[in-house]
Amino acid sequence: MFVRESVMVGGRALTLETGRLAKQAHGSILVTYGETMVLVTAVSSNDERPGIDFFPLTCEFFEKTYAAGKIPGGFFKREARQRDEEILACRIMDRPLRPLFPDGYRRDTQVIATVLSSDKQNKADVLALTGASAALHISDIPWNGPVVGIRVARKDGELVVYPTASDLETADIDLVVACSRDAIVMVEGGAAEATEADLIDALMFAHRESQPILDLIEKLRGAVGKSKRAFTPPALDSEIKEKIKALVDGDLGAATRVTDKKARYEGYSTLKKKMAEALGADLGAEKYASVEKLVKEEFEERKAHVVRSFILNEGKRIDGRDTRTVRPILCEVGLLPRVHGSSLFQRGETQAIVTTTLGTSTDEQKIDGLMGETWKRFYLHYNFPPFSTGETKPMRGPGRREIGHGALAERALVRMIPPSDQFPYTVRIVSETLESNGSSSMAAVCGGCLSLMDAGVPIKNPVAGIAMGLIHDGQRYAILSDILGDEDHLGDMDFKVCGTANGVTAIQMDIKIEGLSRQILVDALEQAREGRLHILGKMLEALPAPRADLSPHAPRITTIKVKPDQIRLIIGPGGKTIKGIVDQTGVSIDVEDDGTVNVASADSDAVKRALDIIKGLTAEPEIGATYTGTVKRVADFGAFVEILPNIDGLVHISELAHHRVERVEDILKEGDTVEVKVLSIDREGKIRLSRKELLAAPEGGVPDGGDRRPPRGDGDRGPRPDRGPRPEGDRGPRPDRGPRPDGDRGPRPDRGPRDRRR
């Protein structure tokens, strides 16, 4: 059954369509907004995958280059592995969808979003989330939705829903929000040091704007929705549950209070083995084997119950802290001698070593996406090796988690990097997680900030990050500052907030319950602000401000400006000139179209030599300045001297010496080096030079024959006192000179050499 429904959002129609495309999928939705179109499908297996203890959900997001009228680059000319931006869109879909599937659902489920058309203004990631929600909601797959993906930005002080790419260029808040009917369930975004109140307003605005879209999804389900599959999760009988409770609850209280993670997990393992032995003896080996997986799950449930009750009843946490205390912090900077900037950041049992590397514009990352070709001059890479949690796993490159955490840390710091006209460097940060017990992404933020400062990057303000948690039993709640890994796993919220002392720069929130009220959001953001300021204070004790000088191993970039039409002089034919400068000096040279020239090298002397060459290539003559030039050509009336590359001027014969010069060759010959002074430059760029001006005048004045008049200046048409005035209107021959013989263009003995000007 074909159905298409629309609603006006942000001044444009958002359209959901089903029944025309991909009809064999269990749910299929085509989302259209502007001229951006995304096809989203949902399929779930009818059979449970045996032997697993997790929900096998896969969310995929693919941008087809044909959607923007482009052909893929490279040799293969087809879309290959997903780009980071596509993987981040997958996470935007996965995070709010996953908690809404029923507990115990173990059937392979796949949601695929394919961008079919892109108008390069309306982003497809939030449209994919809305389409995925609608596809699941109208399908027979058990799922407790719907939700809506909505992007909110603040531009010129006004909140805008579904902002365009142009809007986002100047927006100071950019949030992706997933909303249910009653609450906010996921947040991802950044801001330019926004206040907590500003963020709350933006989140509430997003929730209000999402309601008409939720109505649209419900309308679509009413028209074509299928009955949901019957699903009853496997469960232990109550008698076995009571036995497990009696066996483990008493000892779990003591085990959860062990502050050391390794010792605590050893205590859990010992208690689990003790429980298994007791139940095996009680139930019999065969029956125990049939319920072993459910028994282990029940153990985790009892552990969660004990920890959560302890926090809500006594206000104490696993490691003995109260709900607001941040773990002990250790900060070191400059510990790696050869890198440009380095730091070690440790908070409790979470530790990261973070480095900053400075490069030139040739190190910028090229992004070739549907929205157009862009370049990144700041990027942060987050690594999470298995030894950081005492595990062994294959290492096959960054996974979705690493890419997502790196993007969050990058978003937290990027607005603090100076613009390229003030700091013409490409900046790369790498965070290596060495130990992990919660909040390793926030360690990347804090350590990344310190490494930037250690490298001498003049950041706007220092940035810190903190991960907040939540325990909520439906009536009471406790907000936890700086959560441990167990508190993340057992809690109801993972809320990461990054920012400066002035405001928030990045935020990420995932909710495991149905949603958060405004009051919980307000309390969580305020408690996060207190924790962030505490962490910033500890960081600034290690390094109070960016270092005044760059690392001696970092390239020195010196920027000069030349006229755009002089770029060809630096590049040379086929790049010959610029290659010669690089080979001669060893520097790196970047030339922009506007005439900006960046010269980079760790060797300051090499930079100076290269700059001298470039300045020589692009210098322009100045009146009154003295130059050492080379005679390029000799004529009977003077010599042409090259004073700068490809720039020459005329030394008239009268300007060669104080005495009378009969032949130019008596003073200068081609190839001679001569020092000259610029007398004038006319409007056509012709240059008059003088050698005589730089010579000492002879004693006793000018010798005979040395009283020639210099060439006339521009516009000089006055009388010549050595000839006498012409009668008014007289343009005939001068009887005091006599007529020239035909073809005679040589010197006139009756008046001396002709005054020819170039």
Side-chain angles (χ1 to χ4, degrees):
M1 179 179 177
F2 174 70
V3 178
R4 177 187 290 146
E5 299 288 350
S6 300
V7 65
M8 296 300 294
V9 185
R12 293 180 293 278
L14 175 69
T15 302
L16 301 181
E17 170 191 316
T18 189
R20 183 162 62 114
L21 304 177
K23 295 186 289 295
Q24 295 193 41
H26 297 157
S28 172
I29 294 289
L30 181 66
V31 188
T32 303
Y33 192 70
E35 292 184 332
T36 296
M37 304 174 73
V38 186
L39 175 66
V40 191
T41 59
V43 175
S44 186
S45 173
N46 289 317
D47 301 317
E48 182 173 319
R49 191 202 292 185
I52 61 172
D53 57 358
F54 62 93
F55 172 36
L57 170 68
T58 304
C59 292
E60 303 287 1
F61 179 91
F62 296 102
E63 291 181 337
K64 301 297 185 178
T65 57
Y66 58 71
K70 300 173 64 175
I71 295 176
F75 291 104
F76 299 105
K77 297 302 177 186
R78 69 179 301 160
E79 292 83 1
R81 64 183 297 272
Q82 291 168 303
R83 298 181 298 105
D84 285 2
E85 288 73 16
E86 292 172 286
I87 291 174
L88 294 174
C90 296
R91 287 171 54 83
I92 285 175
M93 295 165 61
D94 186 293
R95 286 158 45 199
L97 297 180
R98 185 178 292 272
L100 298 177
F101 285 88
D103 290 338
Y105 195 68
R106 298 290 186 266
R107 299 176 185 179
D108 283 305
T109 304
Q110 190 170 45
V111 177
I112 300 176
T114 307
V115 182
L116 301 179
S117 176
S118 173
D119 59 13
K120 302 184 181 181
Q121 283 297 313
N122 296 294
K123 291 198 168 186
D125 50 1
V126 288
L127 302 180
L129 172 55
T130 298
S133 170
L136 288 167
H137 201 50
I138 67 172
S139 75
D140 65 343
I141 302 170
W143 186 68
N144 189 27
V147 295
V148 164
I150 197 162
R151 176 175 262 105
V152 170
R154 187 174 68 177
K155 180 183 178 183
D156 300 327
E158 297 292 329
L159 291 171
V160 181
V161 64
Y162 288 132
T164 63
S166 301
D167 293 332
L168 293 175
E169 289 177 358
T170 55
D172 60 356
I173 293 178
D174 176 12
L175 301 177
V176 173
V177 188
C179 303
S180 66
R181 180 66 71 184
D182 300 318
I184 292 168
V185 298
M186 189 273 291
V187 181
E188 179 87 32
E193 298 181 284
T195 66
E196 284 74 12
D198 290 339
L199 288 178
I200 293 291
D201 290 342
L203 293 174
M204 294 299 105
F205 174 77
H207 189 258
R208 289 194 303 272
E209 293 293 324
S210 70
Q211 300 307 305
I213 308 175
L214 287 165
D215 294 338
L216 183 67
I217 296 175
E218 293 289 4
K219 186 176 180 180
L220 205 64
R221 173 166 173 75
V224 299
K226 304 172 186 177
S227 298
K228 296 296 183 182
R229 303 175 194 173
F231 173 74
T232 303
L236 284 172
D237 60 52
S238 57
E239 183 180 349
I240 297 178
K241 285 186 176 182
E242 288 298 321
K243 289 180 178 180
I244 294 174
K245 179 179 178 180
L247 285 170
V248 303
D249 273 23
D251 292 334
L252 269 174
T256 56
R257 289 166 177 77
V258 177
T259 58
D260 180 75
K261 177 183 175 181
K262 183 178 179 180
R264 184 168 63 251
Y265 274 60
E266 288 175 351
Y268 291 153
S269 179
T270 300
L271 185 55
K272 194 181 297 185
K273 289 179 182 178
K274 179 181 176 182
M275 174 198 68
E277 291 172 358
L279 280 177
D282 186 16
L283 300 176
E286 184 176 348
K287 184 175 182 180
Y288 177 78
S290 67
V291 297
E292 183 178 7
K293 187 171 68 172
L294 295 176
V295 168
K296 291 179 179 179
E297 291 178 359
E298 183 62 21
F299 178 85
E300 295 301 320
E301 288 293 326
R302 296 313 308 166
K303 184 170 69 173
H305 172 76
V306 169
V307 172
R308 292 166 64 90
S309 298
F310 187 53
I311 292 172
L312 289 174
N313 294 332
E314 302 185 30
K316 294 292 184 181
R317 298 159 63 179
I318 291 175
D319 57 1
R321 288 180 292 154
D322 61 27
T323 59
R324 308 180 84 92
T325 299
V326 177
R327 289 172 287 175
I329 294 173
L330 170 67
C331 300
E332 294 182 33
V333 294
L335 67 161
L336 303 179
R338 293 294 300 186
V339 303
H340 299 163
S342 63
S343 70
L344 177 69
F345 182 85
Q346 181 150 2
R347 181 166 48 201
E349 294 175 295
T350 295
Q351 182 187 74
I353 191 165
V354 192
T355 62
T356 291
T357 306
L358 304 179
T360 67
S361 62
T362 58
D363 298 306
E364 292 181 2
Q365 182 182 8
K366 180 181 179 181
I367 307 296
D368 188 14
L370 294 190
M371 308 299 283
E373 185 179 291
T374 57
W375 295 85
K376 284 177 66 174
R377 56 181 290 264
F378 173 74
Y379 38 92
L380 188 150
H381 296 153
Y382 165 95
N383 296 320
F384 193 83
F387 65 75
S388 64
T389 54
E391 298 175 289
T392 59
K393 292 180 181 178
M395 298 184 67
R396 299 190 177 98
R400 294 187 175 188
R401 182 179 183 276
E402 284 85 350
I403 291 172
H405 283 9
L408 172 62
E410 181 180 299
R411 191 182 307 117
L413 294 168
V414 65
R415 293 180 186 262
M416 298 299 108
I417 302 298
S420 58
D421 58 346
Q422 299 176 17
F423 190 74
Y425 288 88
T426 296
V427 183
R428 181 192 185 218
I429 295 177
V430 179
S431 177
E432 304 285 358
T433 307
L434 305 183
E435 298 179 39
S436 178
N437 188 12
S439 306
S440 60
S441 62
M442 298 297 93
V445 173
C446 300
C449 177
L450 286 172
S451 73
L452 285 169
M453 296 166 66
D454 184 51
V457 179
I459 59 173
K460 182 179 177 182
N461 287 308
V463 178
I466 187 169
M468 310 296 293
L470 175 72
I471 304 296
H472 197 320
D473 66 358
Q475 296 179 338
R476 300 174 298 167
Y477 68 86
I479 297 170
L480 312 180
S481 296
D482 181 26
I483 56 175
L484 301 172
D486 281 350
E487 292 169 336
D488 183 5
H489 176 66
L490 303 174
D492 300 317
M493 176 182 75
D494 180 13
F495 191 8
K496 300 181 177 72
V497 185
C498 312
T500 68
N502 300 326
V504 176
T505 58
I507 184 171
Q508 184 183 89
M509 180 175 69
D510 292 300
I511 307 299
K512 302 174 187 176
I513 54 178
E514 292 186 358
L516 299 183
S517 67
R518 181 188 181 105
Q519 188 57 50
I520 294 178
L521 285 172
V522 170
D523 293 346
L525 280 169
E526 176 56 30
Q527 193 166 320
R529 189 185 70 85
E530 294 175 2
R532 186 174 78 243
L533 294 178
H534 168 76
I535 296 166
L536 275 172
K538 295 294 184 180
M539 291 166 56
L540 296 180
E541 289 177 7
L543 187 61
R547 299 197 187 278
D549 297 317
L550 296 180
S551 162
H553 305 297
R556 263 49 180 181
I557 298 181
T558 303
T559 301
I560 61 172
K561 291 282 288 187
V562 301
K563 293 180 179 179
D565 61 0
Q566 293 178 323
I567 294 175
R568 59 184 176 80
L569 302 176
I570 302 173
I571 303 297
K576 181 178 179 181
T577 304
I578 194 169
K579 289 177 183 177
I581 301 172
V582 171
D583 292 342
Q584 182 179 343
T585 62
V587 303
S588 172
I589 302 175
D590 300 321
V591 183
E592 305 292 340
D593 292 339
D594 64 352
T596 300
V597 181
N598 294 318
V599 181
S601 174
D603 184 348
S604 57
D605 291 336
V607 171
K608 184 178 183 303
R609 291 197 304 273
L611 288 173
D612 289 343
I613 296 172
I614 293 171
K615 289 176 181 177
L617 291 170
T618 59
E620 294 186 338
E622 299 179 13
I623 296 175
T626 299
Y627 298 91
T628 300
T630 302
V631 178
K632 292 296 185 181
R633 185 165 65 89
V634 173
D636 59 355
F637 51 83
F640 291 94
V641 178
E642 185 180 55
I643 57 174
L644 293 170
N646 300 313
I647 298 177
D648 59 23
L650 172 64
V651 183
H652 190 266
I653 192 170
S654 62
E655 293 294 336
L656 289 173
H658 290 291
H659 63 273
R660 183 186 183 94
V661 177
E662 296 296 340
R663 295 174 66 253
V664 176
E665 289 84 348
D666 294 339
I667 304 295
L668 295 175
K669 296 179 178 61
E670 287 189 16
D672 285 353
T673 299
V674 60
E675 196 170 273
V676 292
K677 180 178 179 181
V678 177
L679 296 179
S680 66
I681 305 173
D682 68 12
R683 278 176 272 182
E684 296 178 356
K686 295 178 180 178
I687 304 168
R688 284 178 46 230
L689 306 173
S690 175
R691 175 178 178 269
K692 179 175 67 176
E693 290 283 328
L694 302 177
L695 301 175
E699 295 183 8
V702 179
D704 291 342
D707 58 345
R708 301 184 185 190
R709 285 178 56 86
R712 289 176 181 243
D714 285 347
D716 180 11
R717 294 295 183 266
R720 295 292 296 264
D722 57 331
R723 302 179 184 172
R726 279 183 179 273
E728 188 173 350
D730 179 13
R731 292 296 181 265
R734 294 292 297 264
D736 56 332
R737 303 179 187 172
R740 277 183 176 275
D742 289 342
D744 179 12
R745 292 296 181 266
R748 294 291 297 268
D750 57 335
R751 53 175 173 171
R754 291 174 59 83
D755 176 13
R756 293 186 182 179
R757 290 175 296 146
R758 181 170 177 262

